[in-house]
Amino acid sequence: MIYKQFKALNNQKLSSVGFGCWAIGGTWNNTEDQKSIETIKKAVELGINFFDVAPIYGMGHSEKILGEALKDYDRSSLFIATKCGLIWDENKVVTKSISRESLYKELNASLERLQTSYIDLYQIHWPFEGMELEEGMATLMEMKEKGLIRYIGLSNFSLKDTKKCMELAEISTLQGLYNMLEPNSEIYHHKQLEYRTANELLPLCKEEGMAFLPYSPLMQGLLTGEFKLENNFDSSDDRSKNPKLNGERFLNYFNCVEELKEIAQEIGKPLSQVAINWLIAQKEVGPVICGAQTPQQIEENVRSTTWELEEKTIKKIEMVLNKKNIC
């Protein structure tokens, strides 16, 4: 395993490949709780120490599974990142808040589900209009001073709002959509993104010594190279709501992947490893948030750290992406 260090995280060693927990929340096809626990344990065995989760993943279920899987390990050897700001009621209606009262209620619930006394990285999941920014930042700093959280992060924030938060609190990480096919994407599922990762956020992370945490590094499985032109998942799978993975928009991405697969075959590596390796090679990129549903999948992800892309291969990849007008 390759480990990375960032000034804004006190140079703590974090595995370059992390474990993303959306899939284990039970809203993706082919997910089984016991298999998820086995996969998480395999991740620890292989040297992964960074786990990214959120209460909204399965409405608490993902945090519970992660907590159960990690409860017998040395807590100080693990780095658990969860999120806040998205809350739901008994009817599963989701609302947004980062008020002091709401944040403490969320934190206490996450601590219980994760079976831990503190969170390493607490991230605001999504910005929203009218968010209680000053109150929220003050509350997160208070939690940090109490030792309930160690670091504060932002997810999906615009450059403007990120800088505003940096004036109010110590921000250590930024998280956002980033992969070979979506370097500066304007949309995620049906949500408009107010940031451009490669053009705006990565330069800021470099300047400030923060870690950028890329989610969807395999574009929700497309960059495994195993998707077909249709019928990749059913309507119960969250990915069925992603317009880039369905219908007319999907075709351009699919064709691009077919060309990238040829490059991967030339160097004798799976496309998934190429996609993860491409991210790891970038200094500002922190743990790559890779999902996995089986021990075999996590083993495949970790193999991405055992070799490096050559410059000539990177140029071939860029030629394909530019030709397909990928953004």
Side-chain angles (χ1 to χ4, degrees):
M1 176 59 66
I2 295 172
Y3 294 88
K4 288 192 170 186
Q5 296 174 279
F6 297 89
K7 179 182 177 182
L9 293 168
N10 290 327
N11 291 316
Q12 180 168 349
K13 289 184 177 181
L14 300 176
S15 53
S16 57
V17 168
F19 191 103
C21 297
W22 184 9
I24 69 171
T27 57
W28 284 33
N29 291 158
N30 306 315
T31 302
E32 301 175 6
D33 289 350
Q34 188 55 45
K35 184 66 70 175
S36 294
I37 290 173
E38 292 173 10
T39 304
I40 293 166
K41 290 179 179 293
K42 172 59 72 171
V44 177
E45 176 187 321
L46 294 173
I48 290 177
N49 64 3
F50 181 94
F51 297 86
D52 181 85
V53 67
I56 201 67
Y57 299 160
M59 296 190 172
H61 190 69
S62 187
E63 286 188 326
K64 286 182 179 179
I65 295 300
L66 183 62
E68 183 66 24
L70 297 180
K71 65 181 182 180
D72 294 327
Y73 291 98
D74 175 12
R75 178 67 180 85
S76 65
S77 69
L78 305 172
F79 194 101
I80 298 176
T82 193
K83 306 178 185 75
C84 58
L86 299 181
I87 52 180
W88 63 91
D89 60 20
E90 63 276 6
N91 297 315
K92 297 185 178 180
V93 176
V94 178
T95 56
K96 301 174 183 179
S97 177
I98 53 170
S99 69
R100 186 176 189 278
E101 179 182 4
S102 182
L103 285 176
Y104 268 103
K105 184 177 180 180
E106 276 203 271
L107 177 65
N108 289 330
S110 288
L111 291 173
E112 182 176 352
R113 287 189 290 259
L114 289 165
Q115 301 186 49
T116 185
S117 60
Y118 67 94
I119 302 297
D120 293 286
L121 175 64
Y122 208 36
Q123 308 159 94
I124 300 178
H125 203 155
W126 281 93
F128 55 94
E129 187 175 349
M131 57 183 167
E132 312 90 333
L133 206 52
E134 292 191 4
E135 181 179 351
M137 290 296 108
T139 303
L140 293 176
M141 285 298 290
E142 181 182 292
M143 290 174 171
K144 184 175 180 179
E145 291 166 3
K146 290 180 177 180
L148 296 172
I149 65 175
R150 296 178 62 210
Y151 303 103
I152 300 168
L154 304 175
S155 178
N156 298 299
F157 270 59
S158 69
L159 183 62
K160 178 182 177 181
D161 284 341
T162 294
K163 290 184 175 180
K164 189 180 299 183
C165 290
M166 291 172 67
E167 295 175 357
L168 300 170
E170 299 169 4
I171 306 300
S172 298
T173 66
L174 303 181
Q175 183 172 152
L177 178 65
Y178 190 45
N179 58 61
M180 287 199 299
L181 300 180
E182 299 172 296
N184 285 298
S185 186
E186 298 178 359
I187 189 172
Y188 178 63
H189 282 229
H190 293 282
K191 296 179 180 178
Q192 291 295 319
L193 300 178
E194 301 300 323
Y195 62 89
R196 302 295 174 263
T197 297
N199 291 347
E200 298 177 345
L201 300 188
L202 290 183
L204 179 64
C205 286
K206 180 178 182 179
E207 180 181 345
E208 299 293 334
M210 296 187 293
F212 183 82
L213 310 175
Y215 66 72
S216 197
L218 300 180
M219 198 172 172
Q220 297 188 333
L222 180 57
L223 281 166
T224 63
E226 297 177 1
F227 275 29
K228 305 179 295 291
L229 267 174
E230 55 186 13
N231 299 323
N232 291 299
F233 25 72
D234 62 36
S235 60
S236 66
D237 191 306
D238 281 342
R239 292 172 292 179
S240 66
K241 304 177 183 68
N242 188 341
K244 295 177 184 176
L245 299 181
N246 301 274
E248 293 182 6
R249 298 190 67 175
F250 175 60
L251 184 59
N252 187 46
Y253 289 109
F254 180 84
N255 289 336
C256 186
V257 167
E258 290 301 296
E259 292 195 36
L260 292 173
K261 281 167 65 175
E262 292 180 7
I263 296 175
Q265 289 168 2
E266 286 177 9
I267 63 174
K269 299 294 182 182
L271 180 57
S272 60
Q273 287 189 32
V274 173
I276 295 171
N277 197 297
W278 183 83
L279 289 167
I280 292 173
Q282 301 174 54
K283 292 182 179 180
E284 294 76 38
V285 172
V288 178
I289 302 172
C290 301
Q293 294 167 288
T294 66
Q296 292 75 23
Q297 288 175 351
I298 203 67
E299 288 174 347
E300 187 72 18
N301 291 344
V302 170
R303 289 193 190 100
S304 305
T305 69
T306 63
W307 60 279
E308 296 181 4
L309 279 170
E310 294 183 0
E311 188 62 32
K312 63 180 181 180
T313 305
I314 293 175
K315 288 181 179 180
K316 285 184 179 180
I317 291 170
E318 291 174 349
M319 286 178 62
V320 170
L321 300 181
N322 291 334
K323 180 176 67 174
K324 293 294 184 181
N325 195 29
I326 294 299
C327 64

Coordinates of all heavy atoms in Angstrom, one line a residue, residues 270-326:
P270 N -6.0 -4.1 -15.8 CA -7.4 -3.9 -15.8 C -7.7 -2.4 -15.9 O -7.0 -1.6 -15.3 CB -7.9 -4.5 -14.5 CG -6.8 -5.4 -14.0 CD -5.5 -4.7 -14.5
L271 N -8.7 -2.0 -16.6 CA -9.1 -0.6 -16.7 C -9.3 0.1 -15.3 O -9.0 1.2 -15.1 CB -10.3 -0.4 -17.6 CG -10.8 1.1 -17.8 CD1 -9.7 1.9 -18.4 CD2 -12.0 1.1 -18.7
S272 N -9.9 -0.7 -14.4 CA -10.2 -0.1 -13.1 C -8.9 0.3 -12.4 O -8.8 1.4 -11.7 CB -10.9 -1.2 -12.2 OG -10.1 -2.3 -12.1
Q273 N -7.9 -0.5 -12.5 CA -6.6 -0.1 -11.9 C -6.0 1.1 -12.6 O -5.4 2.0 -12.0 CB -5.6 -1.3 -12.0 CG -5.9 -2.4 -11.1 CD -4.8 -3.5 -11.0 OE1 -3.6 -3.1 -11.2 NE2 -5.1 -4.7 -10.8
V274 N -6.1 1.2 -13.9 CA -5.6 2.3 -14.7 C -6.3 3.6 -14.1 O -5.7 4.6 -13.9 CB -5.9 2.2 -16.2 CG1 -5.5 3.5 -16.9 CG2 -5.1 1.0 -16.7
A275 N -7.6 3.6 -14.0 CA -8.4 4.7 -13.5 C -8.0 5.2 -12.1 O -7.8 6.4 -11.8 CB -9.9 4.4 -13.6
I276 N -7.8 4.2 -11.2 CA -7.4 4.5 -9.8 C -5.9 5.0 -9.8 O -5.6 6.0 -9.1 CB -7.5 3.3 -8.9 CG1 -9.0 3.0 -8.8 CG2 -7.0 3.6 -7.5 CD1 -9.3 1.6 -8.1
N277 N -5.1 4.4 -10.6 CA -3.7 4.8 -10.6 C -3.5 6.2 -11.2 O -2.7 7.0 -10.7 CB -2.9 3.8 -11.6 CG -1.4 3.9 -11.4 OD1 -0.8 4.9 -11.6 ND2 -0.8 2.7 -11.0
W278 N -4.3 6.6 -12.1 CA -4.4 7.9 -12.7 C -4.6 9.0 -11.6 O -4.0 10.0 -11.6 CB -5.4 8.0 -13.8 CG -5.5 9.3 -14.5 CD1 -4.8 9.7 -15.6 CD2 -6.5 10.3 -14.3 NE1 -5.2 11.0 -16.0 CE2 -6.3 11.3 -15.2 CE3 -7.5 10.5 -13.4 CZ2 -7.1 12.5 -15.3 CZ3 -8.3 11.6 -13.4 CH2 -8.1 12.6 -14.3
L279 N -5.5 8.6 -10.7 CA -5.8 9.5 -9.6 C -4.7 9.6 -8.5 O -4.3 10.6 -8.1 CB -7.1 9.1 -8.9 CG -8.4 9.3 -9.7 CD1 -9.6 8.6 -9.1 CD2 -8.7 10.8 -9.8
I280 N -4.2 8.4 -8.2 CA -3.1 8.3 -7.1 C -1.9 9.1 -7.5 O -1.3 9.7 -6.7 CB -2.8 6.9 -6.9 CG1 -3.9 6.1 -6.2 CG2 -1.5 6.8 -6.0 CD1 -3.7 4.6 -6.1
A281 N -1.6 9.2 -8.8 CA -0.4 9.9 -9.3 C -0.5 11.4 -9.1 O 0.6 12.0 -9.1 CB -0.2 9.6 -10.8
Q282 N -1.6 11.9 -8.8 CA -1.8 13.4 -8.6 C -1.6 13.7 -7.1 O -2.3 13.2 -6.2 CB -3.2 13.8 -9.0 CG -3.4 13.5 -10.5 CD -4.8 13.8 -11.0 OE1 -5.3 14.9 -10.8 NE2 -5.4 12.8 -11.6
K283 N -0.6 14.5 -6.8 CA -0.2 14.8 -5.4 C -1.3 15.3 -4.5 O -1.3 15.1 -3.3 CB 1.0 15.7 -5.4 CG 2.3 15.1 -6.0 CD 3.5 16.1 -5.9 CE 4.8 15.4 -6.5 NZ 5.9 16.3 -6.4
E284 N -2.1 16.2 -5.1 CA -3.2 16.8 -4.3 C -4.3 15.8 -3.9 O -5.1 16.1 -3.1 CB -3.8 18.0 -5.1 CG -2.8 19.1 -5.3 CD -1.8 18.8 -6.4 OE1 -2.2 18.2 -7.4 OE2 -0.7 19.2 -6.2
V285 N -4.3 14.7 -4.6 CA -5.4 13.7 -4.4 C -5.1 12.9 -3.2 O -4.0 12.2 -3.1 CB -5.6 12.8 -5.6 CG1 -6.6 11.7 -5.3 CG2 -6.1 13.7 -6.8
G286 N -6.0 12.9 -2.2 CA -5.8 12.1 -1.0 C -6.4 10.7 -1.3 O -6.4 10.2 -2.4
P287 N -6.8 10.0 -0.2 CA -7.3 8.6 -0.4 C -8.4 8.6 -1.5 O -9.4 9.4 -1.4 CB -7.9 8.3 1.0 CG -7.0 9.0 1.9 CD -6.8 10.3 1.2
V288 N -8.3 7.8 -2.5 CA -9.3 7.6 -3.5 C -10.4 6.8 -3.0 O -10.2 5.7 -2.5 CB -8.7 6.9 -4.8 CG1 -9.7 6.8 -5.8 CG2 -7.5 7.7 -5.3
I289 N -11.6 7.4 -3.0 CA -12.8 6.7 -2.4 C -13.3 5.7 -3.3 O -14.2 5.9 -4.1 CB -13.8 7.8 -2.0 CG1 -13.2 8.8 -1.0 CG2 -15.0 7.1 -1.3 CD1 -14.1 10.0 -0.7
C290 N -12.8 4.4 -3.1 CA -13.2 3.3 -4.0 C -14.3 2.4 -3.2 O -14.0 1.9 -2.1 CB -12.0 2.5 -4.3 SG -10.7 3.3 -5.2
G291 N -15.4 2.2 -3.9 CA -16.4 1.3 -3.3 C -16.0 -0.1 -3.6 O -15.3 -0.4 -4.6
A292 N -16.5 -1.1 -2.8 CA -16.2 -2.5 -3.1 C -17.3 -3.3 -2.4 O -17.7 -2.9 -1.3 CB -14.9 -2.9 -2.6
Q293 N -17.8 -4.3 -3.0 CA -18.8 -5.2 -2.4 C -18.4 -6.6 -2.1 O -19.1 -7.3 -1.5 CB -20.0 -5.2 -3.4 CG -20.7 -3.9 -3.5 CD -21.7 -3.8 -4.7 OE1 -21.3 -3.8 -5.9 NE2 -23.0 -3.8 -4.4
T294 N -17.1 -6.9 -2.5 CA -16.6 -8.2 -2.3 C -15.1 -8.1 -1.9 O -14.5 -7.1 -2.4 CB -16.7 -9.2 -3.5 OG1 -15.9 -8.7 -4.5 CG2 -18.2 -9.3 -3.9
P295 N -14.5 -9.0 -1.2 CA -13.1 -9.0 -0.9 C -12.3 -9.0 -2.2 O -11.2 -8.4 -2.3 CB -12.9 -10.3 -0.2 CG -14.2 -10.6 0.5 CD -15.2 -10.1 -0.5
Q296 N -12.8 -9.7 -3.3 CA -12.0 -9.7 -4.5 C -12.0 -8.3 -5.1 O -10.9 -7.9 -5.7 CB -12.7 -10.7 -5.5 CG -12.6 -12.1 -5.1 CD -13.6 -12.5 -4.0 OE1 -14.6 -11.8 -3.7 NE2 -13.2 -13.6 -3.3
Q297 N -13.0 -7.5 -5.0 CA -13.0 -6.2 -5.6 C -12.1 -5.3 -4.8 O -11.4 -4.5 -5.4 CB -14.4 -5.6 -5.5 CG -15.4 -6.2 -6.5 CD -16.8 -5.7 -6.4 OE1 -17.2 -5.0 -5.4 NE2 -17.7 -6.1 -7.3
I298 N -12.0 -5.4 -3.5 CA -11.1 -4.6 -2.8 C -9.6 -5.0 -3.1 O -8.7 -4.1 -3.1 CB -11.3 -4.6 -1.2 CG1 -10.8 -3.3 -0.6 CG2 -10.8 -5.8 -0.6 CD1 -11.5 -2.1 -1.0
E299 N -9.4 -6.2 -3.3 CA -8.0 -6.7 -3.7 C -7.6 -6.1 -5.0 O -6.5 -5.6 -5.2 CB -8.0 -8.2 -3.8 CG -8.0 -8.9 -2.4 CD -8.1 -10.4 -2.5 OE1 -8.4 -10.9 -3.6 OE2 -7.9 -11.1 -1.5
E300 N -8.6 -6.0 -5.9 CA -8.3 -5.4 -7.2 C -8.0 -3.9 -7.1 O -7.1 -3.4 -7.7 CB -9.6 -5.6 -8.1 CG -9.4 -5.2 -9.6 CD -8.4 -6.1 -10.4 OE1 -8.2 -7.2 -9.9 OE2 -7.9 -5.6 -11.4
N301 N -8.7 -3.2 -6.2 CA -8.5 -1.8 -6.0 C -7.1 -1.6 -5.5 O -6.3 -0.7 -5.9 CB -9.5 -1.2 -5.0 CG -10.9 -1.2 -5.6 OD1 -11.1 -1.3 -6.8 ND2 -11.9 -1.0 -4.7
V302 N -6.7 -2.4 -4.5 CA -5.4 -2.2 -3.8 C -4.2 -2.5 -4.8 O -3.1 -1.9 -4.7 CB -5.3 -3.1 -2.6 CG1 -3.9 -3.1 -2.0 CG2 -6.2 -2.6 -1.5
R303 N -4.4 -3.4 -5.8 CA -3.4 -3.7 -6.7 C -3.0 -2.5 -7.6 O -1.9 -2.4 -8.2 CB -3.8 -4.8 -7.7 CG -3.9 -6.2 -7.0 CD -4.0 -7.3 -8.1 NE -4.3 -8.6 -7.4 CZ -5.5 -9.1 -7.3 NH1 -6.5 -8.5 -7.9 NH2 -5.7 -10.3 -6.7
S304 N -3.9 -1.5 -7.5 CA -3.6 -0.2 -8.3 C -2.4 0.5 -7.7 O -1.8 1.4 -8.3 CB -4.8 0.7 -8.2 OG -6.0 0.1 -8.7
T305 N -2.0 0.2 -6.5 CA -0.9 0.9 -5.8 C 0.4 0.2 -6.0 O 1.5 0.6 -5.5 CB -1.1 0.9 -4.3 OG1 -1.1 -0.4 -3.7 CG2 -2.5 1.5 -4.0
T306 N 0.4 -0.9 -6.8 CA 1.6 -1.7 -7.0 C 2.4 -1.4 -8.2 O 3.4 -2.0 -8.5 CB 1.3 -3.2 -7.0 OG1 0.5 -3.5 -8.1 CG2 0.6 -3.6 -5.7
W307 N 1.9 -0.4 -9.0 CA 2.6 0.0 -10.2 C 2.3 1.4 -10.6 O 1.4 2.0 -9.9 CB 2.2 -0.9 -11.4 CG 0.7 -0.9 -11.7 CD1 -0.2 -1.6 -11.0 CD2 0.1 -0.2 -12.7 NE1 -1.5 -1.3 -11.6 CE2 -1.3 -0.4 -12.6 CE3 0.5 0.7 -13.7 CZ2 -2.2 0.1 -13.5 CZ3 -0.4 1.3 -14.5 CH2 -1.8 1.0 -14.4
E308 N 3.0 2.0 -11.5 CA 2.7 3.4 -11.9 C 2.5 3.6 -13.4 O 3.1 2.8 -14.2 CB 3.9 4.3 -11.5 CG 4.2 4.4 -10.0 CD 5.4 5.2 -9.7 OE1 5.9 5.9 -10.6 OE2 5.7 5.3 -8.5
L309 N 1.7 4.5 -13.8 CA 1.4 4.8 -15.2 C 2.6 5.5 -15.8 O 3.2 6.4 -15.1 CB 0.2 5.7 -15.3 CG -1.2 5.0 -15.3 CD1 -2.2 6.1 -15.2 CD2 -1.4 4.2 -16.5
E310 N 3.1 5.1 -16.9 CA 4.1 5.8 -17.6 C 3.6 7.0 -18.3 O 2.4 7.1 -18.7 CB 4.8 4.9 -18.6 CG 5.5 3.7 -18.0 CD 6.2 2.8 -19.1 OE1 6.1 3.2 -20.3 OE2 6.8 1.8 -18.7
E311 N 4.5 8.0 -18.5 CA 4.1 9.3 -19.1 C 3.4 9.1 -20.5 O 2.4 9.7 -20.8 CB 5.3 10.2 -19.2 CG 4.9 11.6 -19.6 CD 4.0 12.3 -18.7 OE1 4.1 12.1 -17.4 OE2 3.2 13.2 -19.1
K312 N 4.0 8.2 -21.3 CA 3.4 7.9 -22.6 C 2.0 7.4 -22.6 O 1.2 7.7 -23.4 CB 4.3 7.0 -23.4 CG 4.5 5.6 -22.8 CD 5.4 4.8 -23.7 CE 5.5 3.3 -23.2 NZ 6.4 2.5 -24.0
T313 N 1.7 6.6 -21.5 CA 0.4 6.1 -21.4 C -0.6 7.1 -20.9 O -1.7 7.2 -21.4 CB 0.4 4.9 -20.3 OG1 1.3 3.9 -20.7 CG2 -1.0 4.3 -20.3
I314 N -0.1 8.0 -20.1 CA -1.0 9.1 -19.6 C -1.3 10.0 -20.8 O -2.5 10.5 -20.9 CB -0.2 9.9 -18.5 CG1 -0.1 9.1 -17.3 CG2 -1.0 11.2 -18.2 CD1 0.7 9.8 -16.2
K315 N -0.4 10.2 -21.7 CA -0.7 11.1 -22.9 C -1.7 10.4 -23.8 O -2.5 11.1 -24.4 CB 0.6 11.3 -23.6 CG 1.6 12.3 -22.9 CD 2.8 12.6 -23.7 CE 3.7 13.6 -23.0 NZ 5.0 13.8 -23.7
K316 N -1.6 9.1 -23.9 CA -2.6 8.4 -24.7 C -4.0 8.5 -24.1 O -5.0 8.7 -24.9 CB -2.2 6.9 -24.8 CG -1.1 6.6 -25.8 CD -0.9 5.0 -25.9 CE 0.3 4.7 -26.8 NZ 0.5 3.2 -26.9
I317 N -4.1 8.4 -22.8 CA -5.3 8.6 -22.1 C -5.9 10.0 -22.4 O -7.1 10.1 -22.7 CB -5.2 8.3 -20.6 CG1 -4.9 6.8 -20.4 CG2 -6.4 8.8 -19.8 CD1 -4.5 6.5 -18.9
E318 N -5.1 11.0 -22.2 CA -5.5 12.4 -22.4 C -6.0 12.6 -23.9 O -7.0 13.3 -24.1 CB -4.4 13.3 -22.1 CG -4.0 13.3 -20.6 CD -2.8 14.2 -20.3 OE1 -2.1 14.6 -21.2 OE2 -2.6 14.4 -19.1
M319 N -5.3 11.9 -24.8 CA -5.8 12.1 -26.2 C -7.2 11.5 -26.4 O -8.0 12.2 -27.1 CB -4.8 11.3 -27.2 CG -3.5 12.1 -27.3 SD -2.3 11.1 -28.4 CE -3.3 11.1 -29.9
V320 N -7.5 10.4 -25.8 CA -8.8 9.8 -25.9 C -9.8 10.7 -25.2 O -10.9 11.0 -25.8 CB -8.9 8.4 -25.3 CG1 -10.3 7.9 -25.2 CG2 -8.0 7.5 -26.0
L321 N -9.5 11.2 -24.0 CA -10.5 12.1 -23.3 C -10.7 13.4 -24.1 O -11.9 13.8 -24.1 CB -9.9 12.4 -21.9 CG -9.7 11.1 -21.0 CD1 -9.1 11.6 -19.6 CD2 -10.9 10.3 -20.8
N322 N -9.7 14.0 -24.6 CA -9.9 15.2 -25.4 C -10.7 15.0 -26.6 O -11.5 15.8 -27.0 CB -8.5 15.8 -25.7 CG -7.7 16.3 -24.5 OD1 -8.4 16.7 -23.5 ND2 -6.4 16.3 -24.6
K323 N -10.4 13.9 -27.3 CA -11.1 13.6 -28.5 C -12.6 13.4 -28.3 O -13.5 13.8 -29.1 CB -10.6 12.3 -29.2 CG -11.2 11.9 -30.5 CD -10.6 10.7 -31.1 CE -10.7 9.4 -30.2 NZ -10.2 8.2 -30.9
K324 N -13.0 12.7 -27.1 CA -14.4 12.5 -26.8 C -15.0 13.7 -26.1 O -16.2 13.6 -25.7 CB -14.5 11.3 -25.9 CG -14.1 10.0 -26.6 CD -15.1 9.6 -27.7 CE -14.7 8.3 -28.3 NZ -15.7 7.9 -29.4
N325 N -14.2 14.8 -25.9 CA -14.7 16.0 -25.3 C -15.3 15.7 -23.9 O -16.3 16.1 -23.5 CB -15.8 16.6 -26.1 CG -16.1 18.1 -25.7 OD1 -15.2 18.8 -25.2 ND2 -17.3 18.5 -25.9
I326 N -14.5 14.9 -23.1 CA -14.9 14.6 -21.8 C -14.6 15.8 -20.8 O -13.6 16.4 -20.8 CB -14.1 13.4 -21.3 CG1 -14.4 12.1 -22.1 CG2 -14.3 13.1 -19.8 CD1 -15.9 11.7 -22.0

